[in-house]
Amino acid sequence: MRENDTTNYVCECNRAFNAETRHPMVSLIDMSAPCVGSHVATDCYAVVMKSRAGDACRYGWKYYDYTDATLLFIAPHKEIDLATSDGKMLIFHPDLMRCTPLGMRLREYSFFKYRQDESLHISCCEERVIRRCLGCVDDELRWGVDVYSKEIICNIIELLLNYCRRFYERQFVTRHNANVDAIAALDSVIDRAFTSGEVARRGLPTAGRLAPGLGMSADYLNDMLKSETGKAVGDYVQLRRISLAKQMLLAGRNTVGEISAMLGFCTERCFATVFKKITGCAPEEFF
């Protein structure tokens, strides 16, 4: 399959599985059918449900996860593995969602930017919910294209993605103990960046710089941290920064100006402003 401006990848994926194209911008494909080809990078979004994830480690399954089914989320221009003997794939083009509520909210579904080994592992009850949504998409595609098709299909896809967001939140809860360990490792990485002088050279750590060292994607790290602490990575780094400042002030080995410079603040006044905003007092008053 080639990638160019004239390729319709929904149709190409249907042809790969010898499936009928009922709508040019969306399809629900039975991946247990014989397939021509193994991988394709498309300009579409895809949600793949695998009932029997043979290579569990590949999809990040752990002993504390559900095992009834696995959901993978693929963003445009990422490879889709077509060589599988199991599953359903919902594929839809971004143009389908243009000027719709789903199109305006799509960036909220950050799991499309997760790594493959950060897949969603769902229970039998959750699987039934996903299958109902996919069944509704299939019913609408069988109905045929009319003036209502776009709105109805987008509404169903939005419902599906909202359920997936709920199930990911549940997965963060069931992975709490592992997440606590990951946050402890994150704390060490952040603290080392400040105490080693790295922050003074490169600026504050970002999710993009922190995530690879923790074996995560930036979006997964950000979402996991928000689920566990209520803070995004940027806010969490700032809190760790002030926590270190407190420790340094109590130790009494450095002046306020030295601490400000070590922690990467542009000026002592900026340090004082941030410190007071978070702690309620000026650095000189913190003893």
Side-chain angles (χ1 to χ4, degrees), residues 73-93:
F73 303 89
I74 299 108
H77 311 300
K78 289 189 176 181
E79 272 201 345
I80 301 174
D81 182 4
L82 302 178
T84 178
S85 60
D86 168 64
K88 300 280 186 182
M89 178 170 67
L90 174 65
I91 183 169
F92 51 99
H93 195 277

mmCIF file with all atom_site columns, all heavy atoms in Angstrom, residues 73-93:
data_model
loop_
_atom_site.group_PDB
_atom_site.id
_atom_site.type_symbol
_atom_site.label_atom_id
_atom_site.label_alt_id
_atom_site.label_comp_id
_atom_site.label_asym_id
_atom_site.label_entity_id
_atom_site.label_seq_id
_atom_site.pdbx_PDB_ins_code
_atom_site.Cartn_x
_atom_site.Cartn_y
_atom_site.Cartn_z
_atom_site.occupancy
_atom_site.B_iso_or_equiv
_atom_site.pdbx_formal_charge
_atom_site.auth_seq_id
_atom_site.auth_comp_id
_atom_site.auth_asym_id
_atom_site.auth_atom_id
_atom_site.pdbx_PDB_model_num
ATOM 1   N N   . PHE A 1 73 ? -4.981  1.840   20.315 1.00 0.00 ? 73 PHE A N   1
ATOM 2   C CA  . PHE A 1 73 ? -5.412  3.095   19.694 1.00 0.00 ? 73 PHE A CA  1
ATOM 3   C C   . PHE A 1 73 ? -4.285  3.605   18.810 1.00 0.00 ? 73 PHE A C   1
ATOM 4   O O   . PHE A 1 73 ? -3.168  3.813   19.276 1.00 0.00 ? 73 PHE A O   1
ATOM 5   C CB  . PHE A 1 73 ? -5.782  4.113   20.773 1.00 0.00 ? 73 PHE A CB  1
ATOM 6   C CG  . PHE A 1 73 ? -6.849  3.610   21.707 1.00 0.00 ? 73 PHE A CG  1
ATOM 7   C CD1 . PHE A 1 73 ? -6.512  2.896   22.855 1.00 0.00 ? 73 PHE A CD1 1
ATOM 8   C CD2 . PHE A 1 73 ? -8.183  3.816   21.427 1.00 0.00 ? 73 PHE A CD2 1
ATOM 9   C CE1 . PHE A 1 73 ? -7.481  2.401   23.706 1.00 0.00 ? 73 PHE A CE1 1
ATOM 10  C CE2 . PHE A 1 73 ? -9.176  3.334   22.277 1.00 0.00 ? 73 PHE A CE2 1
ATOM 11  C CZ  . PHE A 1 73 ? -8.827  2.628   23.415 1.00 0.00 ? 73 PHE A CZ  1
ATOM 12  N N   . ILE A 1 74 ? -4.590  3.800   17.542 1.00 0.00 ? 74 ILE A N   1
ATOM 13  C CA  . ILE A 1 74 ? -3.561  4.190   16.572 1.00 0.00 ? 74 ILE A CA  1
ATOM 14  C C   . ILE A 1 74 ? -3.919  5.537   15.971 1.00 0.00 ? 74 ILE A C   1
ATOM 15  O O   . ILE A 1 74 ? -5.032  5.722   15.469 1.00 0.00 ? 74 ILE A O   1
ATOM 16  C CB  . ILE A 1 74 ? -3.413  3.130   15.464 1.00 0.00 ? 74 ILE A CB  1
ATOM 17  C CG1 . ILE A 1 74 ? -2.989  1.788   16.064 1.00 0.00 ? 74 ILE A CG1 1
ATOM 18  C CG2 . ILE A 1 74 ? -2.377  3.567   14.441 1.00 0.00 ? 74 ILE A CG2 1
ATOM 19  C CD1 . ILE A 1 74 ? -4.046  0.742   16.067 1.00 0.00 ? 74 ILE A CD1 1
ATOM 20  N N   . ALA A 1 75 ? -2.992  6.481   16.048 1.00 0.00 ? 75 ALA A N   1
ATOM 21  C CA  . ALA A 1 75 ? -3.178  7.809   15.466 1.00 0.00 ? 75 ALA A CA  1
ATOM 22  C C   . ALA A 1 75 ? -2.755  7.801   14.004 1.00 0.00 ? 75 ALA A C   1
ATOM 23  O O   . ALA A 1 75 ? -2.063  6.878   13.558 1.00 0.00 ? 75 ALA A O   1
ATOM 24  C CB  . ALA A 1 75 ? -2.367  8.836   16.248 1.00 0.00 ? 75 ALA A CB  1
ATOM 25  N N   . PRO A 1 76 ? -3.158  8.804   13.214 1.00 0.00 ? 76 PRO A N   1
ATOM 26  C CA  . PRO A 1 76 ? -2.736  8.877   11.811 1.00 0.00 ? 76 PRO A CA  1
ATOM 27  C C   . PRO A 1 76 ? -1.213  8.827   11.671 1.00 0.00 ? 76 PRO A C   1
ATOM 28  O O   . PRO A 1 76 ? -0.480  9.370   12.495 1.00 0.00 ? 76 PRO A O   1
ATOM 29  C CB  . PRO A 1 76 ? -3.293  10.223  11.345 1.00 0.00 ? 76 PRO A CB  1
ATOM 30  C CG  . PRO A 1 76 ? -4.497  10.436  12.205 1.00 0.00 ? 76 PRO A CG  1
ATOM 31  C CD  . PRO A 1 76 ? -4.119  9.873   13.548 1.00 0.00 ? 76 PRO A CD  1
ATOM 32  N N   . HIS A 1 77 ? -0.770  8.134   10.611 1.00 0.00 ? 77 HIS A N   1
ATOM 33  C CA  . HIS A 1 77 ? 0.639   8.006   10.231 1.00 0.00 ? 77 HIS A CA  1
ATOM 34  C C   . HIS A 1 77 ? 1.427   7.070   11.136 1.00 0.00 ? 77 HIS A C   1
ATOM 35  O O   . HIS A 1 77 ? 2.645   6.990   11.028 1.00 0.00 ? 77 HIS A O   1
ATOM 36  C CB  . HIS A 1 77 ? 1.314   9.378   10.151 1.00 0.00 ? 77 HIS A CB  1
ATOM 37  C CG  . HIS A 1 77 ? 0.533   10.372  9.351  1.00 0.00 ? 77 HIS A CG  1
ATOM 38  N ND1 . HIS A 1 77 ? 0.222   10.176  8.022  1.00 0.00 ? 77 HIS A ND1 1
ATOM 39  C CD2 . HIS A 1 77 ? -0.048  11.552  9.707  1.00 0.00 ? 77 HIS A CD2 1
ATOM 40  C CE1 . HIS A 1 77 ? -0.502  11.201  7.583  1.00 0.00 ? 77 HIS A CE1 1
ATOM 41  N NE2 . HIS A 1 77 ? -0.679  12.050  8.583  1.00 0.00 ? 77 HIS A NE2 1
ATOM 42  N N   . LYS A 1 78 ? 0.734   6.351   12.012 1.00 0.00 ? 78 LYS A N   1
ATOM 43  C CA  . LYS A 1 78 ? 1.379   5.283   12.768 1.00 0.00 ? 78 LYS A CA  1
ATOM 44  C C   . LYS A 1 78 ? 0.999   3.947   12.132 1.00 0.00 ? 78 LYS A C   1
ATOM 45  O O   . LYS A 1 78 ? -0.063  3.807   11.543 1.00 0.00 ? 78 LYS A O   1
ATOM 46  C CB  . LYS A 1 78 ? 0.950   5.297   14.236 1.00 0.00 ? 78 LYS A CB  1
ATOM 47  C CG  . LYS A 1 78 ? 1.525   6.465   15.018 1.00 0.00 ? 78 LYS A CG  1
ATOM 48  C CD  . LYS A 1 78 ? 1.250   6.311   16.496 1.00 0.00 ? 78 LYS A CD  1
ATOM 49  C CE  . LYS A 1 78 ? 1.904   7.420   17.310 1.00 0.00 ? 78 LYS A CE  1
ATOM 50  N NZ  . LYS A 1 78 ? 1.650   7.266   18.758 1.00 0.00 ? 78 LYS A NZ  1
ATOM 51  N N   . GLU A 1 79 ? 1.885   2.982   12.274 1.00 0.00 ? 79 GLU A N   1
ATOM 52  C CA  . GLU A 1 79 ? 1.648   1.685   11.634 1.00 0.00 ? 79 GLU A CA  1
ATOM 53  C C   . GLU A 1 79 ? 0.527   0.904   12.309 1.00 0.00 ? 79 GLU A C   1
ATOM 54  O O   . GLU A 1 79 ? 0.439   0.863   13.535 1.00 0.00 ? 79 GLU A O   1
ATOM 55  C CB  . GLU A 1 79 ? 2.920   0.838   11.636 1.00 0.00 ? 79 GLU A CB  1
ATOM 56  C CG  . GLU A 1 79 ? 3.812   1.080   10.441 1.00 0.00 ? 79 GLU A CG  1
ATOM 57  C CD  . GLU A 1 79 ? 4.776   -0.081  10.196 1.00 0.00 ? 79 GLU A CD  1
ATOM 58  O OE1 . GLU A 1 79 ? 4.950   -0.916  11.099 1.00 0.00 ? 79 GLU A OE1 1
ATOM 59  O OE2 . GLU A 1 79 ? 5.337   -0.136  9.089  1.00 0.00 ? 79 GLU A OE2 1
ATOM 60  N N   . ILE A 1 80 ? -0.313  0.281   11.476 1.00 0.00 ? 80 ILE A N   1
ATOM 61  C CA  . ILE A 1 80 ? -1.330  -0.649  11.955 1.00 0.00 ? 80 ILE A CA  1
ATOM 62  C C   . ILE A 1 80 ? -0.878  -2.057  11.577 1.00 0.00 ? 80 ILE A C   1
ATOM 63  O O   . ILE A 1 80 ? -0.537  -2.319  10.422 1.00 0.00 ? 80 ILE A O   1
ATOM 64  C CB  . ILE A 1 80 ? -2.710  -0.362  11.326 1.00 0.00 ? 80 ILE A CB  1
ATOM 65  C CG1 . ILE A 1 80 ? -3.162  1.066   11.653 1.00 0.00 ? 80 ILE A CG1 1
ATOM 66  C CG2 . ILE A 1 80 ? -3.748  -1.361  11.832 1.00 0.00 ? 80 ILE A CG2 1
ATOM 67  C CD1 . ILE A 1 80 ? -4.444  1.460   10.957 1.00 0.00 ? 80 ILE A CD1 1
ATOM 68  N N   . ASP A 1 81 ? -0.863  -2.947  12.552 1.00 0.00 ? 81 ASP A N   1
ATOM 69  C CA  . ASP A 1 81 ? -0.502  -4.345  12.308 1.00 0.00 ? 81 ASP A CA  1
ATOM 70  C C   . ASP A 1 81 ? -1.728  -5.070  11.772 1.00 0.00 ? 81 ASP A C   1
ATOM 71  O O   . ASP A 1 81 ? -2.700  -5.286  12.492 1.00 0.00 ? 81 ASP A O   1
ATOM 72  C CB  . ASP A 1 81 ? -0.012  -4.976  13.611 1.00 0.00 ? 81 ASP A CB  1
ATOM 73  C CG  . ASP A 1 81 ? 0.428   -6.425  13.433 1.00 0.00 ? 81 ASP A CG  1
ATOM 74  O OD1 . ASP A 1 81 ? 0.414   -6.909  12.283 1.00 0.00 ? 81 ASP A OD1 1
ATOM 75  O OD2 . ASP A 1 81 ? 0.786   -7.066  14.436 1.00 0.00 ? 81 ASP A OD2 1
ATOM 76  N N   . LEU A 1 82 ? -1.702  -5.424  10.498 1.00 0.00 ? 82 LEU A N   1
ATOM 77  C CA  . LEU A 1 82 ? -2.834  -6.105  9.875  1.00 0.00 ? 82 LEU A CA  1
ATOM 78  C C   . LEU A 1 82 ? -2.726  -7.623  9.994  1.00 0.00 ? 82 LEU A C   1
ATOM 79  O O   . LEU A 1 82 ? -3.719  -8.329  9.811  1.00 0.00 ? 82 LEU A O   1
ATOM 80  C CB  . LEU A 1 82 ? -2.926  -5.725  8.388  1.00 0.00 ? 82 LEU A CB  1
ATOM 81  C CG  . LEU A 1 82 ? -3.082  -4.236  8.068  1.00 0.00 ? 82 LEU A CG  1
ATOM 82  C CD1 . LEU A 1 82 ? -3.118  -4.033  6.558  1.00 0.00 ? 82 LEU A CD1 1
ATOM 83  C CD2 . LEU A 1 82 ? -4.332  -3.665  8.714  1.00 0.00 ? 82 LEU A CD2 1
ATOM 84  N N   . ALA A 1 83 ? -1.532  -8.107  10.276 1.00 0.00 ? 83 ALA A N   1
ATOM 85  C CA  . ALA A 1 83 ? -1.301  -9.554  10.300 1.00 0.00 ? 83 ALA A CA  1
ATOM 86  C C   . ALA A 1 83 ? -1.735  -10.116 11.650 1.00 0.00 ? 83 ALA A C   1
ATOM 87  O O   . ALA A 1 83 ? -0.936  -10.306 12.562 1.00 0.00 ? 83 ALA A O   1
ATOM 88  C CB  . ALA A 1 83 ? 0.168   -9.857  10.041 1.00 0.00 ? 83 ALA A CB  1
ATOM 89  N N   . THR A 1 84 ? -3.012  -10.338 11.812 1.00 0.00 ? 84 THR A N   1
ATOM 90  C CA  . THR A 1 84 ? -3.551  -10.873 13.051 1.00 0.00 ? 84 THR A CA  1
ATOM 91  C C   . THR A 1 84 ? -4.679  -11.831 12.726 1.00 0.00 ? 84 THR A C   1
ATOM 92  O O   . THR A 1 84 ? -5.325  -11.708 11.681 1.00 0.00 ? 84 THR A O   1
ATOM 93  C CB  . THR A 1 84 ? -4.070  -9.736  13.957 1.00 0.00 ? 84 THR A CB  1
ATOM 94  O OG1 . THR A 1 84 ? -4.641  -10.296 15.140 1.00 0.00 ? 84 THR A OG1 1
ATOM 95  C CG2 . THR A 1 84 ? -5.122  -8.900  13.245 1.00 0.00 ? 84 THR A CG2 1
ATOM 96  N N   . SER A 1 85 ? -4.900  -12.773 13.589 1.00 0.00 ? 85 SER A N   1
ATOM 97  C CA  . SER A 1 85 ? -5.972  -13.753 13.346 1.00 0.00 ? 85 SER A CA  1
ATOM 98  C C   . SER A 1 85 ? -7.182  -13.469 14.214 1.00 0.00 ? 85 SER A C   1
ATOM 99  O O   . SER A 1 85 ? -8.058  -14.313 14.361 1.00 0.00 ? 85 SER A O   1
ATOM 100 C CB  . SER A 1 85 ? -5.448  -15.169 13.637 1.00 0.00 ? 85 SER A CB  1
ATOM 101 O OG  . SER A 1 85 ? -5.015  -15.266 14.987 1.00 0.00 ? 85 SER A OG  1
ATOM 102 N N   . ASP A 1 86 ? -7.229  -12.297 14.783 1.00 0.00 ? 86 ASP A N   1
ATOM 103 C CA  . ASP A 1 86 ? -8.284  -12.036 15.755 1.00 0.00 ? 86 ASP A CA  1
ATOM 104 C C   . ASP A 1 86 ? -8.563  -10.541 15.825 1.00 0.00 ? 86 ASP A C   1
ATOM 105 O O   . ASP A 1 86 ? -7.673  -9.724  15.598 1.00 0.00 ? 86 ASP A O   1
ATOM 106 C CB  . ASP A 1 86 ? -7.835  -12.541 17.142 1.00 0.00 ? 86 ASP A CB  1
ATOM 107 C CG  . ASP A 1 86 ? -8.747  -12.058 18.245 1.00 0.00 ? 86 ASP A CG  1
ATOM 108 O OD1 . ASP A 1 86 ? -9.925  -12.441 18.238 1.00 0.00 ? 86 ASP A OD1 1
ATOM 109 O OD2 . ASP A 1 86 ? -8.281  -11.269 19.088 1.00 0.00 ? 86 ASP A OD2 1
ATOM 110 N N   . GLY A 1 87 ? -9.805  -10.187 16.157 1.00 0.00 ? 87 GLY A N   1
ATOM 111 C CA  . GLY A 1 87 ? -10.098 -8.803  16.502 1.00 0.00 ? 87 GLY A CA  1
ATOM 112 C C   . GLY A 1 87 ? -10.984 -8.071  15.531 1.00 0.00 ? 87 GLY A C   1
ATOM 113 O O   . GLY A 1 87 ? -11.295 -8.540  14.434 1.00 0.00 ? 87 GLY A O   1
ATOM 114 N N   . LYS A 1 88 ? -11.373 -6.869  15.977 1.00 0.00 ? 88 LYS A N   1
ATOM 115 C CA  . LYS A 1 88 ? -12.151 -5.930  15.179 1.00 0.00 ? 88 LYS A CA  1
ATOM 116 C C   . LYS A 1 88 ? -11.371 -4.627  15.087 1.00 0.00 ? 88 LYS A C   1
ATOM 117 O O   . LYS A 1 88 ? -10.742 -4.211  16.064 1.00 0.00 ? 88 LYS A O   1
ATOM 118 C CB  . LYS A 1 88 ? -13.507 -5.655  15.824 1.00 0.00 ? 88 LYS A CB  1
ATOM 119 C CG  . LYS A 1 88 ? -14.401 -6.874  15.994 1.00 0.00 ? 88 LYS A CG  1
ATOM 120 C CD  . LYS A 1 88 ? -15.089 -7.221  14.700 1.00 0.00 ? 88 LYS A CD  1
ATOM 121 C CE  . LYS A 1 88 ? -16.105 -8.343  14.912 1.00 0.00 ? 88 LYS A CE  1
ATOM 122 N NZ  . LYS A 1 88 ? -16.752 -8.726  13.629 1.00 0.00 ? 88 LYS A NZ  1
ATOM 123 N N   . MET A 1 89 ? -11.421 -3.986  13.939 1.00 0.00 ? 89 MET A N   1
ATOM 124 C CA  . MET A 1 89 ? -10.753 -2.692  13.779 1.00 0.00 ? 89 MET A CA  1
ATOM 125 C C   . MET A 1 89 ? -11.746 -1.656  13.273 1.00 0.00 ? 89 MET A C   1
ATOM 126 O O   . MET A 1 89 ? -12.339 -1.821  12.209 1.00 0.00 ? 89 MET A O   1
ATOM 127 C CB  . MET A 1 89 ? -9.584  -2.792  12.801 1.00 0.00 ? 89 MET A CB  1
ATOM 128 C CG  . MET A 1 89 ? -8.903  -1.433  12.572 1.00 0.00 ? 89 MET A CG  1
ATOM 129 S SD  . MET A 1 89 ? -7.349  -1.512  11.663 1.00 0.00 ? 89 MET A SD  1
ATOM 130 C CE  . MET A 1 89 ? -7.914  -2.039  10.035 1.00 0.00 ? 89 MET A CE  1
ATOM 131 N N   . LEU A 1 90 ? -11.911 -0.601  14.069 1.00 0.00 ? 90 LEU A N   1
ATOM 132 C CA  . LEU A 1 90 ? -12.679 0.562   13.637 1.00 0.00 ? 90 LEU A CA  1
ATOM 133 C C   . LEU A 1 90 ? -11.683 1.579   13.107 1.00 0.00 ? 90 LEU A C   1
ATOM 134 O O   . LEU A 1 90 ? -10.809 2.035   13.839 1.00 0.00 ? 90 LEU A O   1
ATOM 135 C CB  . LEU A 1 90 ? -13.465 1.141   14.809 1.00 0.00 ? 90 LEU A CB  1
ATOM 136 C CG  . LEU A 1 90 ? -14.203 2.457   14.545 1.00 0.00 ? 90 LEU A CG  1
ATOM 137 C CD1 . LEU A 1 90 ? -15.308 2.257   13.505 1.00 0.00 ? 90 LEU A CD1 1
ATOM 138 C CD2 . LEU A 1 90 ? -14.784 3.022   15.840 1.00 0.00 ? 90 LEU A CD2 1
ATOM 139 N N   . ILE A 1 91 ? -11.797 1.919   11.841 1.00 0.00 ? 91 ILE A N   1
ATOM 140 C CA  . ILE A 1 91 ? -10.885 2.881   11.222 1.00 0.00 ? 91 ILE A CA  1
ATOM 141 C C   . ILE A 1 91 ? -11.706 4.056   10.709 1.00 0.00 ? 91 ILE A C   1
ATOM 142 O O   . ILE A 1 91 ? -12.768 3.860   10.098 1.00 0.00 ? 91 ILE A O   1
ATOM 143 C CB  . ILE A 1 91 ? -10.053 2.212   10.097 1.00 0.00 ? 91 ILE A CB  1
ATOM 144 C CG1 . ILE A 1 91 ? -9.052  3.203   9.507  1.00 0.00 ? 91 ILE A CG1 1
ATOM 145 C CG2 . ILE A 1 91 ? -10.929 1.581   9.033  1.00 0.00 ? 91 ILE A CG2 1
ATOM 146 C CD1 . ILE A 1 91 ? -8.029  2.544   8.574  1.00 0.00 ? 91 ILE A CD1 1
ATOM 147 N N   . PHE A 1 92 ? -11.261 5.276   10.990 1.00 0.00 ? 92 PHE A N   1
ATOM 148 C CA  . PHE A 1 92 ? -12.026 6.454   10.556 1.00 0.00 ? 92 PHE A CA  1
ATOM 149 C C   . PHE A 1 92 ? -11.074 7.597   10.237 1.00 0.00 ? 92 PHE A C   1
ATOM 150 O O   . PHE A 1 92 ? -10.066 7.805   10.911 1.00 0.00 ? 92 PHE A O   1
ATOM 151 C CB  . PHE A 1 92 ? -13.066 6.877   11.601 1.00 0.00 ? 92 PHE A CB  1
ATOM 152 C CG  . PHE A 1 92 ? -12.545 7.048   12.993 1.00 0.00 ? 92 PHE A CG  1
ATOM 153 C CD1 . PHE A 1 92 ? -12.226 8.305   13.496 1.00 0.00 ? 92 PHE A CD1 1
ATOM 154 C CD2 . PHE A 1 92 ? -12.390 5.946   13.829 1.00 0.00 ? 92 PHE A CD2 1
ATOM 155 C CE1 . PHE A 1 92 ? -11.755 8.457   14.791 1.00 0.00 ? 92 PHE A CE1 1
ATOM 156 C CE2 . PHE A 1 92 ? -11.918 6.097   15.138 1.00 0.00 ? 92 PHE A CE2 1
ATOM 157 C CZ  . PHE A 1 92 ? -11.609 7.350   15.616 1.00 0.00 ? 92 PHE A CZ  1
ATOM 158 N N   . HIS A 1 93 ? -11.418 8.329   9.197  1.00 0.00 ? 93 HIS A N   1
ATOM 159 C CA  . HIS A 1 93 ? -10.580 9.427   8.710  1.00 0.00 ? 93 HIS A CA  1
ATOM 160 C C   . HIS A 1 93 ? -10.873 10.708  9.494  1.00 0.00 ? 93 HIS A C   1
ATOM 161 O O   . HIS A 1 93 ? -12.028 10.965  9.857  1.00 0.00 ? 93 HIS A O   1
ATOM 162 C CB  . HIS A 1 93 ? -10.836 9.650   7.216  1.00 0.00 ? 93 HIS A CB  1
ATOM 163 C CG  . HIS A 1 93 ? -9.787  10.482  6.553  1.00 0.00 ? 93 HIS A CG  1
ATOM 164 N ND1 . HIS A 1 93 ? -9.809  11.867  6.595  1.00 0.00 ? 93 HIS A ND1 1
ATOM 165 C CD2 . HIS A 1 93 ? -8.680  10.134  5.853  1.00 0.00 ? 93 HIS A CD2 1
ATOM 166 C CE1 . HIS A 1 93 ? -8.762  12.338  5.929  1.00 0.00 ? 93 HIS A CE1 1
ATOM 167 N NE2 . HIS A 1 93 ? -8.060  11.316  5.479  1.00 0.00 ? 93 HIS A NE2 1
#
